[in-house]
Amino acid sequence: MKYLILSILFLAGAFSSGNAFAEDSYLLSGTVTDSETGEPISFAYVHIEELNRTSVADANGRYQIKNVPAGNFTLSIHRIGYRTQTKEIAIKEADEVVNIQLSPTVLGSQSVEVVGQGEDLKGSNLEHASKKVFGSDLRRNLGNTLSQTLSNLAGFDERKMGSAPGRPVIRGLGDERVLILQDGVRSGDVSAQSADHAVTIDPISAQEVEIARGPQALAYGANAIGGVINVVRNQIETSLPARTTGNFTLNGESVSKGGSAALDATIPYKNFALSLNLNGRTAHDISTPLGGIDNTYYNSTNNAAGISWIRDWGYIGGAFSTYFNNYGIPPDPQGHPNGVDIEMEKFQYDIKSEIVLRSDFLKVIEGDFSIKNYTHREIESSGALGTQFGLVTTNADLKAKHNSLGILDKGSFGFWGEIEDYAIIGAGTPDANSYKFGAYIIEEADFGGLHLEGGLRFDWVLNKPDEEEPDSRIGNIRERTFPALSSSVAVIYSINRRISLGTSLLHSFRAPSLEELYSEGPHLASYSYEIGNPELDPERGLAKELFVRYQSDRANAEVAIFHNGFSNYLYAQDTGRPNNRRPDLNDYQFVGAEAVLYGAELSGELQLFRNFVLDASASYTLAERDVPQAEQDTTGYNSDTRPLPQIPPLKGKVSFKYTKDGLELGTRVRMAAEQNRTGEFETPTDSYTLLDAFAQYRMEGGKLLHTFSLNVNNILNQEYYNHLSRIKDLRPEPGINVSLLYRVYF
């Protein structure tokens, strides 16, 4: 940690003139009101993008953000039932009062940009995030897992294996190709490795969820060709609130007789901000139209406590968090008729700091340091330990943001490092370490209605087994090094205030993981015998996207087409061959192949009448790999291409809702086509149509905001199958589910 602090101080001194730190700070305050009635708006979320300073308006609509330095910043304001607004503000060495008027809207994702000094302004916690989920949308779609919460977004699907293990899939890409962050830091689990591994982030405490693609994603990794998902919890506060703020949540559902509760609070004390996040979940086995699915219970809790010291020059803070999850994997009649139980735990330690500079060049320097100790045990029905995974992940990140420089309006550069200490018991895989280093630069420029972004990133990865085995059963197990450069550009042109066109390119790099290189043994919970390949080359991809966006007072729409080509797509191929040592498990061989994934997605909202909104989305991904001649000769497959496995079918969603004041009533139809483009030994799935209903109500009482959300999914109790479920050959998806969520903000 001391080296991180020294690095921050070194950069601050090297790039600043005169006094490095912004010792003088000011108060930004104001009132948020309704543009039509003039009434104050309580619980509006106010955010300074460049500094990540936040505030929540009180019952009288008043907000205040302390320790803001002089300079020009972007202010973002959002509140349930109003258009999200961004505007430019200037702090000129004095306390500043900025009053805000928000316009009511019945559309769920509408935003407005207040133009200042001839510049269109955008931004988010991840900067230029392509999607944000918060407020009523987050509560309506809140699921037991992060992937379930996001699964109704266009282009999103859920890879799952029961109730607890689920991971997001974006445009057919998942696992290592989608980065999952919490407050900008990687999750430190092994959920990308296998379908039976759960993500160690509970969405119930999320303030919002951001999804980013393109150049901005390079700040977090070179492998995020699918996208970056950031769950914002603010466990380390960046600003000092004027009062104690937070929320309390209760949630229950019928399909598993499950329930959850959460408490999130931020408490100011002098120059310190204390944060507390507590939650717990419990559920029994899932019920389906064909009966219950045995061993799909779970019991989990994800808790954190943090403290920040906030001064004129910035802040420094730390947090400690824990994650415990005991859950079941459904039975496999051919291998584990009673299923497998998984015990998972993670202890995480985080330190973050931000220094605001008084400099002509550098604006802010940020640093974070994180240690995650993760353990995952797979217990057979006899009580014997099948497999145990241990992973200690150490991350450090140093990032600097700069002011305008020539034609560049703003940008950032930084350094990132990660050490993974990986150990496995019971799988025949050698213990190994992975050392990773990255350096990146991202720049932005605006020329009238034309917005340009570009990014470069260099990565160096060393994968090193504890012991080399030149004559192992899977090949020469040895140290491997992978250096590479990745890049991305994005161009967005605003034709007018309503229509914009854009394109982006991303050249990605992903080194083979420790599992892909060195695995050799049974993985009972995923019904597989995994065989690594020490000769694998890195995965290189080229992502291309074209999109059109439209926004008006009564409608929003976006249409995108995409094409992702891979020179060495890495995946575990089901050989269909029973393992010689474990005949109850098929061999899954990690291989690399030329592959392509392409498709289209669209989404939109239309205000039909004053209080009625039509919402629709659709997405379709096609994916295939090249089949070399040697494989054709061996298998008898006589085509040059073959579909990739675990690719979602054509999917669509249409919803219709009525909104008035704090009430929202609606219905939704979810549809999926049959998927008969299947990979090796993969079974097809039939089409389905599901009917849902939802209702939400919010009311203010004194200094509290109460919200109620009722959802009824699969009203007709239809039998259907998720093509990305590893148990789709054994059990259907859940039947009718009634869930009720109550959340109070204070």
Side-chain angles (χ1 to χ4, degrees):
M1 177 61 194
K2 67 178 180 180
Y3 298 109
L4 181 66
I5 296 175
L6 289 173
S7 298
I8 295 175
L9 296 175
F10 172 78
L11 280 178
F15 290 102
S16 52
S17 58
N19 191 359
F21 303 142
E23 295 182 344
D24 298 323
S25 66
Y26 307 97
L27 174 69
L28 172 66
S29 62
T31 303
V32 184
T33 58
D34 188 301
S35 63
E36 295 182 358
T37 66
E39 294 294 319
I41 301 174
S42 63
F43 297 97
Y45 185 79
V46 184
H47 177 228
I48 301 177
E49 304 289 357
E50 293 84 352
L51 303 177
N52 197 25
R53 303 280 195 272
T54 61
S55 178
V56 178
D58 63 19
N60 298 312
R62 291 193 297 265
Y63 75 92
Q64 66 176 37
I65 302 178
K66 301 178 180 179
N67 69 300
V68 180
N72 297 322
F73 304 102
T74 305
L75 197 65
S76 174
I77 312 98
H78 67 74
R79 166 64 152 82
I80 305 167
Y82 293 87
R83 293 186 181 95
T84 296
Q85 183 183 120
T86 58
K87 64 183 300 181
E88 184 179 354
I89 62 171
I91 307 297
K92 300 178 179 179
E93 299 188 354
D95 292 346
E96 188 75 19
V97 176
V98 177
N99 295 319
I100 300 161
Q101 289 188 327
L102 296 182
S103 301
T105 183
V106 295
L107 302 180
S109 57
Q110 196 170 50
S111 63
V112 60
E113 298 166 345
V114 178
V115 179
Q117 301 179 0
E119 182 180 13
D120 283 346
L121 303 169
K122 301 178 179 4
S124 74
N125 291 8
L126 278 184
E127 300 181 24
H128 295 268
S130 56
K131 296 181 187 295
K132 295 180 75 171
V133 184
F134 55 85
S136 59
D137 288 338
L138 182 58
R139 293 196 306 276
R140 183 190 313 124
N141 296 299
L142 186 65
N144 299 325
T145 62
L146 178 63
S147 56
Q148 187 180 359
T149 301
L150 301 175
S151 61
N152 283 316
L153 294 176
F156 279 70
D157 291 275
E158 182 183 17
R159 182 210 73 189
K160 59 189 299 187
M161 195 172 183
S163 298
R167 206 175 195 277
V169 172
I170 305 176
R171 296 176 174 176
L173 297 170
D175 300 333
E176 300 277 358
R177 302 170 191 92
V178 174
L179 283 178
I180 298 178
L181 314 174
Q182 179 172 281
D183 290 336
V185 178
R186 296 193 185 194
S187 58
D189 55 42
V190 294
S191 62
Q193 183 204 73
S194 180
D196 63 299
H197 299 171
V199 176
T200 56
I201 298 174
D202 195 310
I204 195 170
S205 294
Q207 297 180 14
E208 60 186 18
V209 180
E210 306 165 327
I211 302 99
R213 300 188 184 100
Q216 299 298 334
L218 291 180
Y220 304 95
N223 57 317
I225 190 170
V228 174
I229 299 173
N230 184 41
V231 178
V232 179
R233 292 180 66 176
N234 285 330
Q235 291 181 168
I236 299 176
E237 291 293 336
T238 61
S239 52
L240 192 65
R243 68 188 194 284
T244 297
T245 62
N247 63 78
F248 175 71
T249 304
L250 288 174
N251 187 28
E253 66 174 20
S254 64
V255 75
S256 63
K257 298 181 177 61
S260 61
L263 172 65
D264 302 295
T266 302
I267 306 167
Y269 177 74
K270 296 183 178 180
N271 292 319
F272 294 90
L274 310 176
S275 62
L276 186 66
N277 305 107
L278 305 173
N279 71 62
R281 290 183 181 272
T282 185
H284 299 282
D285 291 342
I286 294 174
S287 62
T288 77
L290 300 184
I293 305 179
D294 293 338
N295 214 48
T296 51
Y297 74 94
Y298 63 83
N299 298 288
S300 69
T301 181
N302 185 193
N303 307 305
I307 183 170
S308 299
W309 183 44
I310 300 169
R311 303 294 294 168
D312 296 345
W313 48 263
Y315 73 90
I316 184 169
F320 171 69
S321 60
T322 61
Y323 181 89
F324 299 96
N325 195 353
N326 294 343
Y327 60 91
I329 298 297
D332 174 14
Q334 297 182 352
H336 292 84
N338 297 315
V340 175
D341 296 314
I342 291 182
E343 299 175 355
M344 180 183 294
E345 61 185 35
K346 184 179 77 171
F347 300 91
Q348 182 166 335
Y349 312 84
D350 294 285
I351 297 176
K352 285 189 176 184
S353 182
E354 174 188 271
I355 295 177
V356 180
L357 302 176
R358 178 178 292 167
S359 165
D360 294 334
F361 177 49
L362 287 186
K363 180 185 297 185
V364 175
I365 294 179
E366 301 172 357
D368 62 66
F369 180 81
S370 175
I371 297 176
K372 286 145 288 203
N373 191 338
Y374 171 90
T375 305
H376 169 121
R377 289 176 288 271
E378 300 180 359
I379 312 297
E380 299 191 52
S381 57
S382 63
L385 176 67
T387 308
Q388 177 171 310
F389 299 84
L391 177 64
V392 177
T393 305
T394 304
N395 290 105
D397 188 17
L398 183 64
K399 178 180 182 179
K401 298 180 181 179
H402 68 75
N403 297 305
S404 60
L405 182 67
I407 65 171
L408 302 175
D409 291 305
K410 63 179 179 179
S412 62
F413 58 92
F415 305 94
W416 172 86
E418 180 178 82
I419 300 174
E420 291 181 311
D421 185 355
Y422 193 50
I424 302 179
I425 298 174
T429 302
D431 295 347
N433 292 345
S434 182
Y435 305 89
K436 302 174 184 178
F437 170 80
Y440 59 88
I441 182 171
I442 301 167
E443 300 294 340
E444 300 181 35
D446 290 284
F447 303 92
L450 183 65
H451 176 75
L452 304 177
E453 295 181 36
L456 287 173
R457 181 180 175 105
F458 173 78
D459 281 272
W460 180 84
V461 178
L462 169 63
N463 288 332
K464 185 177 181 180
D466 285 359
E467 296 183 6
E468 296 191 353
E469 298 181 51
D471 301 317
S472 76
R473 283 189 296 266
I474 66 172
N476 183 8
I477 294 179
R478 66 196 187 281
E479 178 181 304
R480 297 288 306 277
T481 303
F482 306 95
L485 186 69
S486 52
S487 58
S488 180
V489 295
V491 180
I492 303 174
Y493 179 65
S494 298
I495 298 176
N496 52 43
R497 297 288 293 172
R498 295 186 176 186
I499 302 174
S500 60
L501 308 175
T503 185
S504 67
L505 298 173
L506 173 65
H507 187 209
S508 70
F509 157 78
R510 183 172 78 84
S513 67
L514 297 174
E515 299 83 13
E516 291 167 335
L517 289 173
Y518 307 133
S519 289
E520 204 276 318
H523 195 164
L524 306 180
S526 63
Y527 316 148
S528 62
Y529 192 99
E530 296 176 353
I531 303 175
N533 182 355
E535 306 302 324
L536 286 175
D537 291 325
E539 178 180 282
R540 300 306 303 255
L542 181 60
K544 303 167 284 291
E545 178 181 8
L546 293 171
F547 59 85
V548 180
R549 293 171 179 166
Y550 173 84
Q551 179 172 292
S552 69
D553 291 339
R554 299 180 62 88
N556 300 317
E558 179 173 349
V559 179
I561 57 174
F562 57 90
H563 183 281
N564 300 317
F566 292 87
S567 61
N568 193 42
Y569 183 88
L570 302 178
Y571 74 106
Q573 184 183 61
D574 184 356
T575 65
R577 180 180 63 246
N579 182 263
N580 292 331
R581 302 169 65 194
R582 290 294 301 263
D584 56 325
L585 301 173
N586 276 4
D587 284 340
Y588 278 72
Q589 174 72 60
F590 286 103
V591 297
E594 301 277 336
V596 61
L597 295 89
Y598 58 97
E601 64 186 37
L602 60 90
S603 59
E605 289 181 294
L606 175 63
Q607 183 178 347
L608 298 174
F609 308 102
R610 179 177 177 83
N611 301 108
F612 292 89
V613 175
L614 181 67
D615 181 352
S617 66
S619 59
Y620 188 38
T621 300
L622 294 168
E624 57 191 20
R625 66 174 180 88
D626 290 350
V627 181
Q629 188 61 49
E631 183 180 342
Q632 295 183 43
D633 296 340
T634 302
T635 63
Y637 187 80
N638 57 1
S639 176
D640 293 335
T641 62
R642 187 167 198 165
L644 284 172
Q646 293 280 290
I647 300 298
L650 170 65
K651 297 182 70 175
K653 171 181 69 72
V654 178
S655 65
F656 182 74
K657 69 178 181 180
Y658 168 81
T659 301
K660 183 175 176 59
D661 299 327
L663 177 66
E664 179 180 287
L665 302 172
T667 185
R668 175 175 58 201
V669 177
R670 291 178 286 151
M671 299 159 285
E674 66 175 346
Q675 179 58 292
N676 51 23
R677 290 177 51 84
T678 55
E680 302 93 333
F681 308 102
E682 185 183 27
T683 57
T685 48
D686 293 332
S687 61
Y688 62 81
T689 301
L690 306 176
L691 178 64
D692 304 330
F694 56 86
Q696 296 197 55
Y697 182 68
R698 64 179 186 273
M699 64 178 185
E700 297 184 28
K703 298 182 179 180
L704 303 177
L705 174 64
H706 302 270
T707 62
F708 303 85
S709 300
L710 175 67
N711 292 280
V712 186
N713 292 331
N714 194 6
I715 292 176
L716 302 179
N717 203 34
Q718 296 274 44
E719 177 188 347
Y720 73 104
Y721 296 83
N722 174 15
H723 192 74
L724 302 190
S725 171
R726 284 293 296 270
I727 63 170
K728 64 177 182 288
D729 297 332
L730 305 174
R731 298 288 188 277
E733 292 297 293
I736 183 172
N737 182 31
V738 180
S739 62
L740 178 64
L741 182 144
Y742 166 71
R743 177 168 290 172
V744 56
Y745 298 86
F746 54 85

